[in-house]
Amino acid sequence: MRQLDLVVIVVYLIGIAWIGLRKAGRQKSAKDYFVGEGHMPWWTVSFSVVATETSVLTVISVPGGAYSGQAFGNVELALGYVIGRVVVATVLIPLYKRGGFVSAYQYLGDRFGLKLQGLASVTFVFTRLLAEGVRLFASAIPIKLLLDEFGVHASYRVIIIVITLITVVYTYLGGIKAVIWTDAIQMVLYLGGAVLAVAVLSAHVGGDGYARALDAGKFTLFDTDFDLAHILTSPFALPTAIIGGAIFAMASHGSDQLIVQRVLATRTLREGQKAMIASGVFVTVQFAAFSLVGALLWSYNQGKSFSELGLSSSDNLYPEFILHGLPVIVSGLLVAGILGAAMGSLSSALNSMSNSTVADIIHSFFRTTPSEEALLRLARWMTLVWATLMAVFACAFSASTGNVYLTGLTIAGYTYGALLGAFLLGRLVKRANEVDSIVAFLVTIGVMTYIVREVKIDVTTGGTTVSQAIAAQWLVPIGVLITLLVGGVLSLFHRAPQATGSPALDEEPGAGPDQLTTTAGRN
């Protein structure tokens, strides 16, 4: 009967590629390839934002975390994310939409100069390469478990390559339209899978199972331990989740091209703002669903430890239940949902990295302006290049060990503070010029590299003291403060620069020029 699961998965893979290409139509320009000429409905963009940020790390790690002690801490964290998205929708999205940009970093080019625009874009693609490589490896975990059920012992490397090849087909040909429409479908699939899992588990454990999980604290929402060391090191401490989470979301959704690109594909400023804020609501619901799966799995397994269940880590808990605790075809649908999370984040990353390469790096460091046909060809070629590099990195990561969820979170700590700090420096420190911004950007990345790798805080729990890293949510505000401090101090040693921003920033939404071509023209 397991063959039926494989049929479901194969049909899904073929169907999602066909739907993506059908919805995308034929791409006629690089702007169409990157932002769909700004004609995408806000609700599909909102779904795409959620699918882009979700990945397999969320799908397999949140249930395991809720099972082992995090309870509903991810829902608490999502509340901070909602606050951060409201700020992004209010402060940053108007800049991007009124400027007619196809890349968030074109604002930095207008405010400071093309060198910072190019530097920010290089930082983005390098960070995204590392983070998405980890995500891509994580996606191979449940797929390998499924294949092992059939006696097919494919390596992680083979699985990674196959997933990449399938995803790159519709991403290469369909551009952002294919990415957004397939993301929307994939979000419905994996979130629907979580709802199915909750229904099956509820039938197994009944009301008594809910009561046992409640008594065991599996439904705890807020972590109210206000010990300073705990606040600084735990991602689920209340101030960390709300304040740190809000600032982290400002960086991830306001200065990361991976997310901003989707919002730029909406029709109007208002629709872009709706898509951004609604994505926070959907993410909160999503975290609640996956956390509920983990709490019910705890009752279902009678609170047994992972070792007692024969599992090597918490990341294997949900995939193991999908394969052995669900009926045939239903388990196939849920594995397809995990594949959807993997492909959604991968396709989004490939298109945004190609976008940033063409719209930012090429225009910042080369003086010639290619034709539209050449830009479109270059965009597609860069999609292939980044897909290859990402698969290579994911294969290299598969030989290492470690918690993929924590690894994925920590990578952003190196650069998010510098990226968000550069945007805020441009908005808050009017005297700052290009040299100030570049020095502040580089200093921040250097300092944050040291903090992430070397700085530990002693935390005492139950009489035992251990050294822990600073929570990922605090890395962003630390980086932002360093950028503002260094850039602000440097700005005091010279005259205030003359305004050089694009007039488009003061115009109505959509009135700005086609920045994909005009930015290069300033060279």
Side-chain angles (χ1 to χ4, degrees), residues 478-498:
I478 292 172
V480 168
L481 288 175
I482 294 171
T483 305
L484 292 177
L485 179 62
V486 174
V489 170
L490 290 176
S491 72
L492 299 176
F493 292 92
H494 59 73
R495 294 180 179 178
Q498 295 182 350

mmCIF file of all heavy atoms in Angstrom, residues 478-498:
data_model
loop_
_atom_site.group_PDB
_atom_site.id
_atom_site.type_symbol
_atom_site.label_atom_id
_atom_site.label_comp_id
_atom_site.label_asym_id
_atom_site.label_seq_id
_atom_site.Cartn_x
_atom_site.Cartn_y
_atom_site.Cartn_z
ATOM 1 N N ILE A 478 21.254 44.354 18.315
ATOM 2 C CA ILE A 478 22.659 44.681 18.611
ATOM 3 C C ILE A 478 23.339 45.188 17.353
ATOM 4 O O ILE A 478 24.047 46.204 17.359
ATOM 5 C CB ILE A 478 23.395 43.445 19.176
ATOM 6 C CG1 ILE A 478 22.861 43.091 20.561
ATOM 7 C CG2 ILE A 478 24.900 43.713 19.245
ATOM 8 C CD1 ILE A 478 23.402 41.785 21.112
ATOM 9 N N GLY A 479 23.137 44.475 16.229
ATOM 10 C CA GLY A 479 23.740 44.896 14.967
ATOM 11 C C GLY A 479 23.231 46.255 14.511
ATOM 12 O O GLY A 479 24.005 47.086 14.007
ATOM 13 N N VAL A 480 21.926 46.495 14.678
ATOM 14 C CA VAL A 480 21.359 47.785 14.285
ATOM 15 C C VAL A 480 21.986 48.918 15.099
ATOM 16 O O VAL A 480 22.362 49.963 14.550
ATOM 17 C CB VAL A 480 19.829 47.776 14.476
ATOM 18 C CG1 VAL A 480 19.259 49.188 14.360
ATOM 19 C CG2 VAL A 480 19.179 46.861 13.450
ATOM 20 N N LEU A 481 22.125 48.725 16.412
ATOM 21 C CA LEU A 481 22.711 49.758 17.271
ATOM 22 C C LEU A 481 24.150 50.059 16.868
ATOM 23 O O LEU A 481 24.580 51.223 16.851
ATOM 24 C CB LEU A 481 22.646 49.322 18.735
ATOM 25 C CG LEU A 481 21.250 49.327 19.372
ATOM 26 C CD1 LEU A 481 21.312 48.750 20.790
ATOM 27 C CD2 LEU A 481 20.671 50.734 19.395
ATOM 28 N N ILE A 482 24.914 49.018 16.543
ATOM 29 C CA ILE A 482 26.305 49.228 16.125
ATOM 30 C C ILE A 482 26.356 50.040 14.837
ATOM 31 O O ILE A 482 27.137 50.990 14.700
ATOM 32 C CB ILE A 482 27.018 47.872 15.941
ATOM 33 C CG1 ILE A 482 27.148 47.154 17.282
ATOM 34 C CG2 ILE A 482 28.401 48.071 15.310
ATOM 35 C CD1 ILE A 482 27.641 45.723 17.157
ATOM 36 N N THR A 483 25.497 49.701 13.870
ATOM 37 C CA THR A 483 25.472 50.425 12.595
ATOM 38 C C THR A 483 25.120 51.891 12.801
ATOM 39 O O THR A 483 25.767 52.785 12.252
ATOM 40 C CB THR A 483 24.458 49.781 11.630
ATOM 41 O OG1 THR A 483 24.755 48.401 11.466
ATOM 42 C CG2 THR A 483 24.503 50.458 10.265
ATOM 43 N N LEU A 484 24.082 52.148 13.587
ATOM 44 C CA LEU A 484 23.659 53.527 13.827
ATOM 45 C C LEU A 484 24.716 54.312 14.595
ATOM 46 O O LEU A 484 24.961 55.497 14.303
ATOM 47 C CB LEU A 484 22.330 53.543 14.588
ATOM 48 C CG LEU A 484 21.102 53.026 13.829
ATOM 49 C CD1 LEU A 484 19.878 53.030 14.738
ATOM 50 C CD2 LEU A 484 20.837 53.864 12.590
ATOM 51 N N LEU A 485 25.348 53.650 15.562
ATOM 52 C CA LEU A 485 26.372 54.340 16.360
ATOM 53 C C LEU A 485 27.585 54.694 15.511
ATOM 54 O O LEU A 485 28.035 55.854 15.495
ATOM 55 C CB LEU A 485 26.788 53.449 17.533
ATOM 56 C CG LEU A 485 27.880 54.017 18.454
ATOM 57 C CD1 LEU A 485 27.404 55.302 19.114
ATOM 58 C CD2 LEU A 485 28.280 52.990 19.514
ATOM 59 N N VAL A 486 28.110 53.716 14.782
ATOM 60 C CA VAL A 486 29.304 53.969 13.965
ATOM 61 C C VAL A 486 28.983 54.975 12.859
ATOM 62 O O VAL A 486 29.730 55.942 12.634
ATOM 63 C CB VAL A 486 29.828 52.654 13.361
ATOM 64 C CG1 VAL A 486 30.977 52.930 12.390
ATOM 65 C CG2 VAL A 486 30.291 51.711 14.461
ATOM 66 N N GLY A 487 27.881 54.756 12.143
ATOM 67 C CA GLY A 487 27.520 55.679 11.064
ATOM 68 C C GLY A 487 27.221 57.071 11.579
ATOM 69 O O GLY A 487 27.597 58.074 10.954
ATOM 70 N N GLY A 488 26.532 57.161 12.733
ATOM 71 C CA GLY A 488 26.209 58.460 13.301
ATOM 72 C C GLY A 488 27.439 59.232 13.737
ATOM 73 O O GLY A 488 27.554 60.441 13.484
ATOM 74 N N VAL A 489 28.385 58.556 14.377
ATOM 75 C CA VAL A 489 29.618 59.226 14.815
ATOM 76 C C VAL A 489 30.432 59.691 13.610
ATOM 77 O O VAL A 489 30.933 60.827 13.572
ATOM 78 C CB VAL A 489 30.450 58.280 15.704
ATOM 79 C CG1 VAL A 489 31.840 58.873 15.959
ATOM 80 C CG2 VAL A 489 29.735 58.018 17.026
ATOM 81 N N LEU A 490 30.588 58.844 12.612
ATOM 82 C CA LEU A 490 31.349 59.226 11.420
ATOM 83 C C LEU A 490 30.722 60.418 10.704
ATOM 84 O O LEU A 490 31.429 61.258 10.127
ATOM 85 C CB LEU A 490 31.441 58.039 10.464
ATOM 86 C CG LEU A 490 32.328 56.871 10.904
ATOM 87 C CD1 LEU A 490 32.247 55.725 9.900
ATOM 88 C CD2 LEU A 490 33.777 57.313 11.073
ATOM 89 N N SER A 491 29.394 60.502 10.746
ATOM 90 C CA SER A 491 28.712 61.603 10.038
ATOM 91 C C SER A 491 29.006 62.961 10.662
ATOM 92 O O SER A 491 28.795 64.001 10.012
ATOM 93 C CB SER A 491 27.206 61.356 10.022
ATOM 94 O OG SER A 491 26.634 61.552 11.314
ATOM 95 N N LEU A 492 29.498 62.987 11.899
ATOM 96 C CA LEU A 492 29.794 64.255 12.569
ATOM 97 C C LEU A 492 31.078 64.893 12.075
ATOM 98 O O LEU A 492 31.347 66.057 12.381
ATOM 99 C CB LEU A 492 29.886 64.027 14.087
ATOM 100 C CG LEU A 492 28.611 63.494 14.771
ATOM 101 C CD1 LEU A 492 28.882 63.237 16.253
ATOM 102 C CD2 LEU A 492 27.453 64.469 14.598
ATOM 103 N N PHE A 493 31.880 64.157 11.321
ATOM 104 C CA PHE A 493 33.190 64.648 10.893
ATOM 105 C C PHE A 493 33.167 65.222 9.480
ATOM 106 O O PHE A 493 34.216 65.446 8.878
ATOM 107 C CB PHE A 493 34.219 63.521 10.973
ATOM 108 C CG PHE A 493 34.531 63.100 12.380
ATOM 109 C CD1 PHE A 493 33.832 62.061 12.973
ATOM 110 C CD2 PHE A 493 35.493 63.753 13.126
ATOM 111 C CE1 PHE A 493 34.106 61.656 14.273
ATOM 112 C CE2 PHE A 493 35.783 63.369 14.433
ATOM 113 C CZ PHE A 493 35.077 62.324 15.008
ATOM 114 N N HIS A 494 32.008 65.459 8.908
ATOM 115 C CA HIS A 494 31.942 66.065 7.576
ATOM 116 C C HIS A 494 30.636 66.839 7.446
ATOM 117 O O HIS A 494 29.748 66.744 8.297
ATOM 118 C CB HIS A 494 32.041 64.997 6.485
ATOM 119 C CG HIS A 494 30.957 63.951 6.564
ATOM 120 N ND1 HIS A 494 29.642 64.181 6.220
ATOM 121 C CD2 HIS A 494 31.006 62.647 6.966
ATOM 122 C CE1 HIS A 494 28.935 63.085 6.392
ATOM 123 N NE2 HIS A 494 29.728 62.132 6.867
ATOM 124 N N ARG A 495 30.532 67.591 6.402
ATOM 125 C CA ARG A 495 29.313 68.336 6.148
ATOM 126 C C ARG A 495 28.185 67.393 5.749
ATOM 127 O O ARG A 495 28.421 66.311 5.235
ATOM 128 C CB ARG A 495 29.536 69.345 5.018
ATOM 129 C CG ARG A 495 30.525 70.450 5.371
ATOM 130 C CD ARG A 495 30.674 71.395 4.195
ATOM 131 N NE ARG A 495 31.606 72.484 4.498
ATOM 132 C CZ ARG A 495 31.948 73.430 3.608
ATOM 133 N NH1 ARG A 495 31.428 73.392 2.395
ATOM 134 N NH2 ARG A 495 32.798 74.380 3.968
ATOM 135 N N ALA A 496 26.966 67.830 5.992
ATOM 136 C CA ALA A 496 25.812 67.034 5.582
ATOM 137 C C ALA A 496 25.761 66.973 4.058
ATOM 138 O O ALA A 496 25.923 68.001 3.384
ATOM 139 C CB ALA A 496 24.524 67.642 6.120
ATOM 140 N N PRO A 497 25.585 65.793 3.485
ATOM 141 C CA PRO A 497 25.558 65.669 2.016
ATOM 142 C C PRO A 497 24.296 66.293 1.443
ATOM 143 O O PRO A 497 23.276 66.403 2.115
ATOM 144 C CB PRO A 497 25.576 64.153 1.800
ATOM 145 C CG PRO A 497 24.952 63.589 3.033
ATOM 146 C CD PRO A 497 25.372 64.506 4.156
ATOM 147 N N GLN A 498 24.389 66.709 0.179
ATOM 148 C CA GLN A 498 23.203 67.216 -0.499
ATOM 149 C C GLN A 498 22.269 66.056 -0.803
ATOM 150 O O GLN A 498 22.698 64.923 -0.990
ATOM 151 C CB GLN A 498 23.596 67.917 -1.801
ATOM 152 C CG GLN A 498 24.425 69.171 -1.584
ATOM 153 C CD GLN A 498 24.758 69.849 -2.906
ATOM 154 O OE1 GLN A 498 24.526 69.286 -3.969
ATOM 155 N NE2 GLN A 498 25.276 71.056 -2.816
#
